[in-house]
Amino acid sequence: MPSFHSYDGTRLAYHLRGNGGAGDPLVVLPGGPMRASEYLGDLGGLGARRPLVLLDLRGTGESALPADPATYRCDRLVDDVEALRVHLGLERMDVLGHSAGGSLALLHAARYPERVSRLALITATPWALGMPATAENRLAAARLRKGEPWFEDAFPAFEAWLTGNGDFDLTFMPFFYGRWDEAARAHAAADEEQTNDDAADVYGSEGAYDPPATRAALGRLTAPVLVLAGELDGGARPELARGVCEFAPHTEFSIQPGAGHYPWLDDPEWFTARVGDFFAG
């Protein structure tokens, strides 16, 4: 398992995916927050086009627990991403952030704009820009699934959880996927064992984000940015995700039809074509 030591001595692991493809590696930052990068697989076959480097954030997957749990905070994880770039020997790197990893990718681009060649934000709620998903966002997206056979059982539990009147319930996991098939069920079932819940509580804690500063910094970013939203995703509904385009000057926006929060599972061919073409320039 390849690994390196970050700024504070914490050993961080990363995974190489794909058959090599062409060009420099694409650095992939996982979401969750604080879910081991294993859930990303090879991003639906994207590794056939570009070698992928999937980072296990500190305290997740094969990476070590840090001495200071406060370093799980998103803004402090930026230094781990930069340490990975140095370890890989890249002057500039292409970066893909999924879900919560999108905020980490945004903070890294804001702090080190000269180190980013291209940036893709995949179904990423832009917390770092002060744009969280609301219960209304999620419920509006959920109602789009009314024709699904599991909807009548899942929606009341989902609504109760979002409004603070119920606990998290596996019944409503189908809302996070465009297709609730066997692959989606297996993917959802692995979530609990792959996620460091204590670290997730710290990830977006007080002080993690400074939206005005990040917005101003992104205005000076010269790297092309792809914002990809899932048509059925409530975490970052397309209209919320589109808001990122207001702050990064060289941005492309795409909506993947029929996709939920994990678009590479819902339609791998569509996803790899769109994202692969973006990184191919």
Side-chain angles (χ1 to χ4, degrees), residues 44-264:
L46 187 61
R49 299 189 57 164
R50 286 288 295 275
L52 306 179
V53 173
L54 277 57
L55 177 63
D56 276 342
L57 301 178
R58 54 180 55 214
T60 71
E62 301 295 329
S63 289
L65 298 171
D68 181 4
T71 59
Y72 290 135
R73 207 173 70 178
C74 187
D75 60 322
R76 301 186 68 175
L77 294 173
V78 170
D79 291 324
D80 290 342
V81 178
E82 184 61 7
L84 173 60
R85 181 194 65 79
V86 173
H87 169 75
L88 295 174
L90 299 173
E91 184 69 21
R92 294 162 62 87
M93 62 182 180
D94 288 344
V95 179
L96 182 153
H98 171 247
S99 188
S103 282
L104 176 55
L106 284 168
L107 291 186
H108 177 266
R111 192 181 304 176
Y112 298 102
E114 74 283 0
R115 300 304 187 187
V116 180
S117 295
R118 286 178 173 265
L119 170 62
L121 304 172
I122 307 301
T123 58
T125 303
W127 296 332
L129 301 177
M131 301 162 61
T134 65
E136 291 74 17
N137 292 150
R138 293 182 181 275
L139 290 173
R143 292 187 183 98
L144 298 175
R145 316 297 296 277
K146 195 168 184 178
E148 303 280 357
W150 43 262
F151 179 87
E152 295 300 330
D153 290 332
F155 187 82
F158 194 46
E159 185 175 34
W161 176 62
L162 289 171
T163 56
N165 298 309
D167 296 326
F168 187 89
D169 193 322
L170 295 178
T171 303
F172 53 68
M173 288 304 294
F175 287 120
F176 294 89
Y177 297 85
R179 298 185 306 178
W180 188 236
D181 55 15
E182 184 175 346
R185 292 185 182 92
H187 191 266
D191 189 338
E192 184 175 0
E193 67 178 21
Q194 292 173 348
T195 301
N196 182 334
D197 290 327
D198 292 335
D201 289 340
V202 178
Y203 189 88
S205 58
E206 185 176 358
Y209 307 124
D210 183 349
T214 303
R215 291 176 177 186
L218 288 179
R220 300 186 291 271
L221 182 67
T222 60
V225 178
L226 170 66
V227 178
L228 189 148
E231 179 186 16
L232 304 176
D233 186 23
R237 291 206 72 193
E239 54 266 38
L240 178 63
R242 190 190 296 271
V244 177
C245 302
E246 299 177 22
F247 306 107
H250 307 289
T251 307
E252 304 173 21
F253 179 72
S254 288
I255 300 173
Q256 181 168 328
H261 198 57
Y262 307 95
W264 62 92

